[in-house]
Amino acid sequence: MTTATVKDLYPTRGTTEVTVPRQDPVVWGAPDTPGPIETADLQAYERDGFLAVDQLIGPDEVEVYKRELDRLVTDPAIRADERSIVEPKSKEIRSVFEVHKISEVFANLVRDPRVVGRARQILGSDVYVHQSRINVKPGFGASGFYWHSDFETWHAEDGLPNMRTVSVSIALTENHDTNGGLMIMPGSHRTFLGCAGATPKDNYKKSLQMQDAGTPSDEALTALAGEYGIRLFTGKAGSATWFDCNCMHGSGDNITPFPRSNVFIVFNSVENTAVEPFAAPVRRPEFIGARDFTPVR
């Protein structure tokens, strides 16, 4: 399927920045759809665009996933793999993509009913993994990610037609208010911000280290923050934050001695599979934007 057969509801990467009201539901499942999310929490997710879970996985499980993360980032073969992104300054591994295919340990996490069950409940269908990765933000200078909407990139560069995608960030180390934690503008998921500027070819090679194309203007960010405010997420290892694909979010540098590591999984509805990019000359590699739409089982 090409973009010519799918209406572009969210124009972006044009000559000017544009705002478009959200055209899609936030919660796609029926209110009585069974799942691990309580009704009140699902309503809060619909309102705010995110849901924080104090303890999604227990301490013993955290240790299993943390050991696997440590194994992957110290493996020379993984470092040499194109799926590993290296920190520009320290030359340490920053992210490893497609971990649910590299590691059976993380594949099991993706299939965990506490994880995939919440995704199905929010998206109202079977789901597949659009993207997975482990993020490592060591102390003393690991850089952050500038403000952005994931959907803007996934729409422009991966070809996701609709906002029927949800992410979960599971903390494998404690998230303090000082070590570069996730920040979200609550309610920002209801407004799509189409960014100005064309997408360079192979933009992903630069954007995975430092966002450029798809970056909102200072004026737009000031207006969004003024309307919605900013929420900083903290929590013990094992806590998790679910957030809608169109939330405006980012994270700061980590200049503390305390590392911040997490596993990040993006679930997309099997009824929202990717077409050709809406605003990029070529697709991103499949380890970043999946073309395997097999449902998680």
Side-chain angles (χ1 to χ4, degrees), residues 239-283:
S239 62
T241 305
W242 293 83
F243 58 102
D244 180 83
C245 58
N246 192 47
C247 282
M248 190 61 66
H249 67 287
S251 64
D253 296 349
N254 182 13
I255 62 172
T256 76
F258 309 113
R260 176 180 174 264
S261 299
N262 70 301
V263 55
F264 182 80
I265 307 163
V266 180
F267 293 101
N268 188 39
S269 169
V270 296
E271 298 172 12
N272 187 45
T273 53
V275 294
E276 291 304 307
F278 285 87
V282 293
R283 303 174 183 173

Short mmCIF file of all heavy atoms in Angstrom, two decimals, residues 239-283:
data_model
loop_
_atom_site.label_atom_id
_atom_site.label_comp_id
_atom_site.label_asym_id
_atom_site.label_seq_id
_atom_site.Cartn_x
_atom_site.Cartn_y
_atom_site.Cartn_z
N SER A 239 9.24 0.62 37.77
CA SER A 239 8.09 1.47 37.43
C SER A 239 8.05 1.66 35.92
O SER A 239 9.02 1.40 35.21
CB SER A 239 8.20 2.82 38.15
OG SER A 239 9.37 3.53 37.73
N ALA A 240 6.91 2.13 35.43
CA ALA A 240 6.75 2.27 33.99
C ALA A 240 5.85 3.45 33.67
O ALA A 240 4.98 3.82 34.46
CB ALA A 240 6.16 0.99 33.39
N THR A 241 6.07 4.02 32.51
CA THR A 241 5.21 5.08 31.99
C THR A 241 4.72 4.70 30.61
O THR A 241 5.53 4.44 29.70
CB THR A 241 5.96 6.42 31.91
OG1 THR A 241 6.53 6.74 33.18
CG2 THR A 241 5.02 7.54 31.48
N TRP A 242 3.40 4.62 30.47
CA TRP A 242 2.76 4.41 29.17
C TRP A 242 2.40 5.78 28.62
O TRP A 242 1.87 6.62 29.34
CB TRP A 242 1.49 3.58 29.33
CG TRP A 242 1.76 2.17 29.75
CD1 TRP A 242 1.97 1.71 31.02
CD2 TRP A 242 1.86 1.04 28.89
NE1 TRP A 242 2.20 0.37 31.00
CE2 TRP A 242 2.14 -0.07 29.71
CE3 TRP A 242 1.73 0.87 27.51
CZ2 TRP A 242 2.30 -1.35 29.19
CZ3 TRP A 242 1.88 -0.41 27.00
CH2 TRP A 242 2.16 -1.50 27.82
N PHE A 243 2.68 6.02 27.33
CA PHE A 243 2.28 7.31 26.79
C PHE A 243 1.90 7.22 25.32
O PHE A 243 2.44 6.42 24.56
CB PHE A 243 3.34 8.39 27.03
CG PHE A 243 4.72 8.12 26.49
CD1 PHE A 243 5.15 8.72 25.32
CD2 PHE A 243 5.60 7.29 27.17
CE1 PHE A 243 6.42 8.50 24.83
CE2 PHE A 243 6.88 7.06 26.70
CZ PHE A 243 7.29 7.68 25.51
N ASP A 244 0.94 8.05 24.97
CA ASP A 244 0.40 8.11 23.62
C ASP A 244 1.46 8.57 22.63
O ASP A 244 2.34 9.37 22.96
CB ASP A 244 -0.79 9.08 23.59
CG ASP A 244 -1.41 9.20 22.23
OD1 ASP A 244 -2.23 8.34 21.86
OD2 ASP A 244 -1.06 10.17 21.49
N CYS A 245 1.35 8.10 21.40
CA CYS A 245 2.36 8.38 20.38
C CYS A 245 2.49 9.86 20.05
O CYS A 245 3.55 10.29 19.55
CB CYS A 245 2.04 7.60 19.11
SG CYS A 245 0.41 7.95 18.41
N ASN A 246 1.46 10.67 20.32
CA ASN A 246 1.52 12.08 19.95
C ASN A 246 1.84 13.00 21.12
O ASN A 246 1.79 14.22 20.98
CB ASN A 246 0.20 12.51 19.30
CG ASN A 246 0.31 13.88 18.64
OD1 ASN A 246 1.26 14.16 17.92
ND2 ASN A 246 -0.66 14.75 18.90
N CYS A 247 2.19 12.46 22.28
CA CYS A 247 2.59 13.32 23.40
C CYS A 247 3.87 14.08 23.06
O CYS A 247 4.83 13.49 22.56
CB CYS A 247 2.84 12.47 24.65
SG CYS A 247 1.35 11.95 25.49
N MET A 248 3.88 15.36 23.39
CA MET A 248 5.12 16.12 23.28
C MET A 248 5.96 15.78 24.50
O MET A 248 5.54 15.96 25.64
CB MET A 248 4.82 17.62 23.23
CG MET A 248 6.03 18.48 22.88
SD MET A 248 6.74 18.13 21.25
CE MET A 248 5.39 18.66 20.17
N HIS A 249 7.16 15.27 24.26
CA HIS A 249 7.98 14.81 25.37
C HIS A 249 9.47 14.98 25.04
O HIS A 249 9.85 15.22 23.88
CB HIS A 249 7.67 13.35 25.70
CG HIS A 249 8.07 12.38 24.62
ND1 HIS A 249 7.40 12.26 23.43
CD2 HIS A 249 9.09 11.48 24.54
CE1 HIS A 249 7.96 11.35 22.68
NE2 HIS A 249 9.01 10.86 23.32
N GLY A 250 10.29 14.85 26.05
CA GLY A 250 11.73 14.95 25.88
C GLY A 250 12.41 14.60 27.19
O GLY A 250 11.76 14.26 28.18
N SER A 251 13.71 14.68 27.22
CA SER A 251 14.47 14.42 28.44
C SER A 251 15.75 15.24 28.43
O SER A 251 16.30 15.54 27.36
CB SER A 251 14.81 12.93 28.58
OG SER A 251 15.66 12.51 27.53
N GLY A 252 16.21 15.59 29.62
CA GLY A 252 17.41 16.41 29.73
C GLY A 252 18.68 15.57 29.83
O GLY A 252 18.64 14.34 29.92
N ASP A 253 19.82 16.25 29.83
CA ASP A 253 21.10 15.57 30.02
C ASP A 253 21.18 14.99 31.43
O ASP A 253 20.52 15.46 32.35
CB ASP A 253 22.26 16.56 29.83
CG ASP A 253 22.35 17.12 28.43
OD1 ASP A 253 21.65 16.60 27.53
OD2 ASP A 253 23.12 18.08 28.23
N ASN A 254 22.00 13.98 31.57
CA ASN A 254 22.25 13.41 32.90
C ASN A 254 23.67 13.78 33.34
O ASN A 254 24.65 13.14 32.93
CB ASN A 254 22.09 11.89 32.89
CG ASN A 254 22.29 11.29 34.27
OD1 ASN A 254 22.32 11.99 35.27
ND2 ASN A 254 22.42 9.97 34.33
N ILE A 255 23.78 14.81 34.17
CA ILE A 255 25.10 15.22 34.66
C ILE A 255 25.34 14.74 36.09
O ILE A 255 26.33 15.12 36.72
CB ILE A 255 25.27 16.75 34.57
CG1 ILE A 255 24.24 17.47 35.45
CG2 ILE A 255 25.19 17.21 33.13
CD1 ILE A 255 24.49 18.98 35.57
N THR A 256 24.44 13.90 36.60
CA THR A 256 24.61 13.34 37.95
C THR A 256 25.47 12.07 37.86
O THR A 256 25.72 11.55 36.77
CB THR A 256 23.26 12.97 38.57
OG1 THR A 256 22.77 11.76 37.98
CG2 THR A 256 22.23 14.09 38.38
N PRO A 257 25.89 11.53 39.01
CA PRO A 257 26.60 10.24 39.00
C PRO A 257 25.67 9.04 38.82
O PRO A 257 26.16 7.92 38.68
CB PRO A 257 27.26 10.19 40.39
CG PRO A 257 27.13 11.54 40.98
CD PRO A 257 25.92 12.16 40.35
N PHE A 258 24.36 9.29 38.82
CA PHE A 258 23.39 8.19 38.86
C PHE A 258 22.89 7.84 37.46
O PHE A 258 22.25 8.67 36.80
CB PHE A 258 22.21 8.56 39.76
CG PHE A 258 22.64 9.06 41.12
CD1 PHE A 258 22.41 10.38 41.49
CD2 PHE A 258 23.29 8.22 42.00
CE1 PHE A 258 22.81 10.85 42.73
CE2 PHE A 258 23.69 8.67 43.25
CZ PHE A 258 23.46 9.99 43.61
N PRO A 259 23.15 6.62 36.98
CA PRO A 259 22.72 6.25 35.64
C PRO A 259 21.20 6.14 35.54
O PRO A 259 20.51 5.95 36.54
CB PRO A 259 23.38 4.89 35.42
CG PRO A 259 23.53 4.33 36.80
CD PRO A 259 23.81 5.51 37.69
N ARG A 260 20.70 6.27 34.33
CA ARG A 260 19.27 6.07 34.07
C ARG A 260 19.15 5.17 32.85
O ARG A 260 19.53 5.56 31.74
CB ARG A 260 18.56 7.40 33.82
CG ARG A 260 17.08 7.22 33.44
CD ARG A 260 16.38 8.56 33.20
NE ARG A 260 15.04 8.33 32.70
CZ ARG A 260 14.69 8.34 31.41
NH1 ARG A 260 15.61 8.56 30.49
NH2 ARG A 260 13.45 8.12 31.03
N SER A 261 18.68 3.98 33.06
CA SER A 261 18.52 3.02 31.97
C SER A 261 17.07 2.53 31.94
O SER A 261 16.43 2.40 32.98
CB SER A 261 19.45 1.81 32.15
OG SER A 261 20.80 2.22 32.14
N ASN A 262 16.58 2.27 30.74
CA ASN A 262 15.22 1.77 30.61
C ASN A 262 15.08 0.92 29.36
O ASN A 262 15.94 0.96 28.47
CB ASN A 262 14.21 2.93 30.58
CG ASN A 262 14.31 3.74 29.30
OD1 ASN A 262 15.35 4.30 28.98
ND2 ASN A 262 13.23 3.80 28.54
N VAL A 263 14.02 0.15 29.31
CA VAL A 263 13.65 -0.57 28.09
C VAL A 263 12.39 0.09 27.56
O VAL A 263 11.47 0.42 28.32
CB VAL A 263 13.46 -2.08 28.35
CG1 VAL A 263 12.45 -2.36 29.44
CG2 VAL A 263 13.05 -2.79 27.06
N PHE A 264 12.38 0.31 26.26
CA PHE A 264 11.34 1.11 25.60
C PHE A 264 10.71 0.25 24.51
O PHE A 264 11.42 -0.27 23.64
CB PHE A 264 12.01 2.35 25.01
CG PHE A 264 11.10 3.31 24.32
CD1 PHE A 264 10.35 4.22 25.05
CD2 PHE A 264 11.02 3.35 22.94
CE1 PHE A 264 9.53 5.14 24.41
CE2 PHE A 264 10.20 4.26 22.29
CZ PHE A 264 9.45 5.16 23.04
N ILE A 265 9.39 0.07 24.58
CA ILE A 265 8.67 -0.76 23.61
C ILE A 265 7.54 0.05 23.01
O ILE A 265 6.77 0.68 23.73
CB ILE A 265 8.11 -2.03 24.28
CG1 ILE A 265 9.20 -2.80 25.03
CG2 ILE A 265 7.46 -2.94 23.23
CD1 ILE A 265 8.65 -3.81 26.02
N VAL A 266 7.44 0.00 21.69
CA VAL A 266 6.38 0.70 20.97
C VAL A 266 5.45 -0.34 20.34
O VAL A 266 5.88 -1.16 19.52
CB VAL A 266 6.95 1.60 19.85
CG1 VAL A 266 5.81 2.31 19.12
CG2 VAL A 266 7.94 2.60 20.41
N PHE A 267 4.19 -0.32 20.75
CA PHE A 267 3.19 -1.21 20.19
C PHE A 267 2.30 -0.43 19.22
O PHE A 267 1.82 0.65 19.55
CB PHE A 267 2.31 -1.80 21.30
CG PHE A 267 3.02 -2.73 22.23
CD1 PHE A 267 3.43 -2.30 23.49
CD2 PHE A 267 3.27 -4.05 21.87
CE1 PHE A 267 4.07 -3.16 24.36
CE2 PHE A 267 3.91 -4.92 22.74
CZ PHE A 267 4.32 -4.47 23.99
N ASN A 268 2.07 -1.01 18.05
CA ASN A 268 1.18 -0.43 17.06
C ASN A 268 0.06 -1.42 16.76
O ASN A 268 0.26 -2.63 16.80
CB ASN A 268 1.94 -0.10 15.78
CG ASN A 268 1.11 0.70 14.78
OD1 ASN A 268 0.35 1.59 15.16
ND2 ASN A 268 1.25 0.39 13.50
N SER A 269 -1.12 -0.89 16.47
CA SER A 269 -2.25 -1.75 16.13
C SER A 269 -2.00 -2.46 14.80
O SER A 269 -1.47 -1.87 13.85
CB SER A 269 -3.53 -0.92 16.02
OG SER A 269 -4.58 -1.68 15.46
N VAL A 270 -2.43 -3.72 14.72
CA VAL A 270 -2.34 -4.44 13.45
C VAL A 270 -3.29 -3.85 12.41
O VAL A 270 -3.20 -4.20 11.22
CB VAL A 270 -2.62 -5.95 13.64
CG1 VAL A 270 -1.57 -6.60 14.53
CG2 VAL A 270 -4.03 -6.18 14.20
N GLU A 271 -4.18 -2.97 12.84
CA GLU A 271 -5.09 -2.28 11.92
C GLU A 271 -4.55 -0.91 11.51
O GLU A 271 -5.25 -0.13 10.87
CB GLU A 271 -6.47 -2.13 12.59
CG GLU A 271 -7.11 -3.48 12.92
CD GLU A 271 -8.38 -3.35 13.75
OE1 GLU A 271 -8.89 -2.22 13.90
OE2 GLU A 271 -8.86 -4.37 14.26
N ASN A 272 -3.29 -0.64 11.84
CA ASN A 272 -2.67 0.66 11.53
C ASN A 272 -1.27 0.44 10.95
O ASN A 272 -0.34 1.19 11.24
CB ASN A 272 -2.58 1.51 12.81
CG ASN A 272 -2.10 2.93 12.56
OD1 ASN A 272 -2.55 3.58 11.62
ND2 ASN A 272 -1.19 3.40 13.39
N THR A 273 -1.12 -0.59 10.15
CA THR A 273 0.20 -0.94 9.66
C THR A 273 0.78 0.14 8.75
O THR A 273 0.06 0.90 8.12
CB THR A 273 0.18 -2.28 8.91
OG1 THR A 273 -0.83 -2.22 7.89
CG2 THR A 273 -0.14 -3.41 9.87
N ALA A 274 2.10 0.18 8.70
CA ALA A 274 2.82 1.24 7.98
C ALA A 274 2.63 1.13 6.48
O ALA A 274 2.60 0.03 5.90
CB ALA A 274 4.30 1.17 8.33
N VAL A 275 2.51 2.31 5.86
CA VAL A 275 2.52 2.42 4.40
C VAL A 275 3.84 3.11 4.03
O VAL A 275 4.80 3.08 4.79
CB VAL A 275 1.28 3.20 3.90
CG1 VAL A 275 0.02 2.41 4.19
CG2 VAL A 275 1.19 4.59 4.52
N GLU A 276 3.91 3.73 2.87
CA GLU A 276 5.12 4.46 2.53
C GLU A 276 5.19 5.75 3.35
O GLU A 276 4.16 6.27 3.78
CB GLU A 276 5.15 4.77 1.04
CG GLU A 276 5.33 3.53 0.16
CD GLU A 276 6.57 2.74 0.53
OE1 GLU A 276 7.67 3.34 0.58
OE2 GLU A 276 6.46 1.53 0.79
N PRO A 277 6.39 6.28 3.60
CA PRO A 277 6.51 7.51 4.40
C PRO A 277 5.67 8.65 3.82
O PRO A 277 5.57 8.82 2.61
CB PRO A 277 8.01 7.83 4.32
CG PRO A 277 8.67 6.53 4.02
CD PRO A 277 7.70 5.76 3.16
N PHE A 278 5.10 9.44 4.72
CA PHE A 278 4.28 10.58 4.30
C PHE A 278 5.13 11.82 4.00
O PHE A 278 4.67 12.71 3.30
CB PHE A 278 3.25 10.91 5.38
CG PHE A 278 2.11 9.94 5.43
CD1 PHE A 278 2.20 8.77 6.19
CD2 PHE A 278 0.94 10.16 4.71
CE1 PHE A 278 1.15 7.86 6.25
CE2 PHE A 278 -0.12 9.26 4.74
CZ PHE A 278 -0.01 8.10 5.52
N ALA A 279 6.35 11.89 4.55
CA ALA A 279 7.14 13.11 4.36
C ALA A 279 8.64 12.82 4.45
O ALA A 279 9.37 13.51 5.14
CB ALA A 279 6.74 14.16 5.38
N ALA A 280 9.06 11.78 3.76
CA ALA A 280 10.48 11.43 3.72
C ALA A 280 10.77 10.73 2.40
O ALA A 280 9.90 10.04 1.85
CB ALA A 280 10.85 10.53 4.89
N PRO A 281 11.98 10.88 1.87
CA PRO A 281 12.29 10.28 0.57
C PRO A 281 12.37 8.76 0.59
O PRO A 281 12.09 8.11 -0.42
CB PRO A 281 13.65 10.89 0.21
CG PRO A 281 14.24 11.35 1.51
CD PRO A 281 13.08 11.73 2.38
N VAL A 282 12.75 8.18 1.74
CA VAL A 282 12.86 6.72 1.86
C VAL A 282 12.42 6.30 3.25
O VAL A 282 12.43 7.10 4.19
CB VAL A 282 14.31 6.23 1.61
CG1 VAL A 282 14.72 6.47 0.17
CG2 VAL A 282 15.29 6.89 2.57
N ARG A 283 12.05 5.05 3.40
CA ARG A 283 11.73 4.49 4.72
C ARG A 283 12.99 4.43 5.59
O ARG A 283 14.10 4.30 5.10
CB ARG A 283 11.23 3.06 4.59
CG ARG A 283 10.05 2.82 3.72
CD ARG A 283 9.86 1.30 3.64
NE ARG A 283 8.77 0.90 2.76
CZ ARG A 283 8.52 -0.36 2.44
NH1 ARG A 283 9.30 -1.33 2.92
NH2 ARG A 283 7.51 -0.66 1.65
#
